[in-house]
Amino acid sequence: MDTERVDQIIDKHHGEASSLIQVLLDIQSENHWLPKEALERVSQRLQVPQARIQHIATFYKAFSLVPKGRYEIHICMGTACHVRGAQRILDTVQELTGIKPGETDLDLKFSLQTVNCLGCCALGPVMEIDGKTHGKMGTSQTADVLKSYD
Amino acid sequence: MSDVTLQIDGKEVSAREGMTILEVAQREGITIPTLCHHEKLEPFGGCRLCTVEVDDRGWTSYVASCVYPVKKNIAVKTRSEKVDRIRKTIIELLLAHAPDAFELQKLAEEYGADRDRFEKQASFCIHCGLCVRYCDEVKKAHAIGFVDRGIRKEISFIPEIAAQVCWDCKECFPLCPTEALQAAYVLTKALYPPKTEGDPKALGR
């Protein structure tokens, strides 16, 4: 992400220090992670110390300081999904992508994360990719869904 | 500024409105143990060791005296059976993080805290925030901050700033109640070698 784009985002929020989290969220959603250079620029422009930005960026799970894939896979491991076979779905995804929960693959395509409940237990087991919910997953359906992303 | 009168350990004292119980007690020569308080810094309420019993018109509550503003006609007890028990548990919890901290051991002796009550998770930091706040509020260097949260929360130097200002300052070292800071500082120096060979992105975080 280049400095100009970071500046645009900061300008959108009128360069106010109180908009720090909004600025970080915008960078995160566009870039999928928060590169150090971007954070330095934000610190400079918003007049917020880097230590504070680091505190916030590490506090919230929404932010990542390491590169994330273009698609973020969330697999629900909540009780309802668990009894309906969430582990099988997780195993399938791990096998197909070659990554474990919390990891990102080398070509920055997928990031995998387990979550505790996505709030749609009737659809379990649930897999969510970039906010799109895929419910009532079976192993073969999981493979099909993953293939549809490139 | 109006004055309020209150009682601390049975003694009538008057204080300016807005002062905290801890400030008044210290002025009156009454000792309340604390690990995160520093007169130059804003109250933090981090260690909770300064917990006291406050009786407000018959209602008893347990509050952190370093962040509790004085109120008219309250009666404060700085020691009671329950206060001592609360402090003892806090010390035991802190000892799990910093078992060999001198200040904690002194307190443990006073309150009869068992050093081995909780499983050791020696991180050497008890999150008093003294170093972080001193750097922010007094030195305004912002070279050190907290990262992460909950059980993973720890202090971390910003390597670029630390490399420039910390070597000539080090004023936060003696503030640390556990000497954890020194360890962290040395660690940063090790992680951030003066030579910038290779990928600059690989340095620091």
Side-chain angles (χ1 to χ4, degrees), chain A residues 14-83:
Chain A
H14 314 295
E16 279 186 48
S18 56
S19 306
L20 173 63
I21 290 184
Q22 289 308 320
V23 170
L24 295 183
L25 278 171
D26 280 3
I27 298 174
Q28 171 79 35
S29 70
E30 222 178 280
N31 198 47
H32 302 293
W33 69 293
L34 304 173
K36 191 166 186 192
E37 296 75 31
L39 293 185
E40 274 166 8
R41 186 69 185 160
V42 172
S43 165
Q44 231 175 51
R45 290 277 319 268
L46 299 189
Q47 296 286 302
V48 178
Q50 270 191 64
R52 187 161 173 73
I53 295 184
Q54 218 178 60
H55 184 30
I56 290 166
T58 52
F59 187 92
Y60 294 104
K61 259 195 156 174
F63 299 126
S64 171
L65 294 177
V66 290
K68 278 275 166 87
R70 276 172 289 139
Y71 305 112
E72 282 189 52
I73 309 174
H74 291 152
I75 296 179
C76 181
M77 304 303 274
T79 315
C81 290
H82 174 81
V83 295

Side-chain angles (χ1 to χ4, degrees), chain B residues 35 46-49 87-101 104 107 115 118 121-128 178:
Chain B
L35 291 172
C47 71
R48 316 307 281 187
L49 259 191
R87 288 188 191 152
K88 174 173 167 265
T89 309
I90 294 170
I91 296 163
E92 284 166 342
L93 286 164
L94 295 179
L95 277 167
H97 284 295
D100 297 317
L104 280 178
L107 285 166
R115 184 173 174 271
F118 297 106
Q121 296 176 327
S123 60
F124 308 103
C125 180
I126 56 165
H127 306 120
C128 68
T178 71

Side-chain angles (χ1 to χ4, degrees), chain B residues 48 51-54 60-64 68 80-83 86:
Chain B
R48 316 307 281 187
T51 297
V52 293
E53 188 178 307
V54 169
T60 308
S61 53
Y62 295 87
V63 302
Y68 197 89
S80 76
E81 202 189 315
K82 190 160 176 189
V83 165
I86 292 171

Side-chain angles (χ1 to χ4, degrees), chain B residues 38-190:
Chain B
H38 190 284
E39 55 186 13
K40 283 188 193 163
L41 304 176
E42 288 291 314
F44 187 55
C47 71
R48 316 307 281 187
L49 259 191
C50 63
T51 297
V52 293
E53 188 178 307
V54 169
D55 188 324
D56 187 1
R57 287 166 301 170
W59 291 91
T60 308
S61 53
Y62 295 87
V63 302
S65 60
C66 68
V67 286
Y68 197 89
V70 288
K71 230 166 122 186
K72 210 170 120 193
N73 294 332
I74 54 171
V76 177
K77 272 194 214 155
T78 64
R79 292 295 285 259
S80 76
E81 202 189 315
K82 190 160 176 189
V83 165
D84 282 11
R85 207 166 65 229
I86 292 171
R87 288 188 191 152
K88 174 173 167 265
T89 309
I90 294 170
I91 296 163
E92 284 166 342
L93 286 164
L94 295 179
L95 277 167
H97 284 295
D100 297 317
F102 182 62
E103 271 184 64
L104 280 178
Q105 283 177 343
K106 257 197 322 200
L107 285 166
E109 210 170 298
E110 190 180 341
Y111 287 88
D114 175 8
R115 184 173 174 271
D116 299 314
R117 176 164 171 201
F118 297 106
E119 199 187 326
K120 299 274 179 302
Q121 296 176 327
S123 60
F124 308 103
C125 180
I126 56 165
H127 306 120
C128 68
L130 279 174
C131 52
V132 173
R133 290 179 293 138
Y134 190 84
C135 198
D136 282 355
E137 294 174 27
V138 178
K139 300 300 287 188
K140 309 223 184 300
H142 311 288
I144 183 167
F146 281 118
V147 293
D148 224 322
R149 62 169 161 175
I151 55 167
R152 282 183 299 273
K153 186 175 178 180
E154 55 181 38
I155 52 166
S156 166
F157 284 92
I158 305 291
E160 289 82 358
I161 302 174
Q164 281 171 26
V165 296
C166 291
W167 205 242
D168 300 321
C169 169
K170 292 186 201 150
E171 282 167 35
C172 57
F173 280 20
L175 298 178
C176 184
T178 71
E179 290 177 74
L181 189 60
Q182 189 134 11
Y185 188 65
V186 173
L187 191 67
T188 316
K189 289 301 266 187

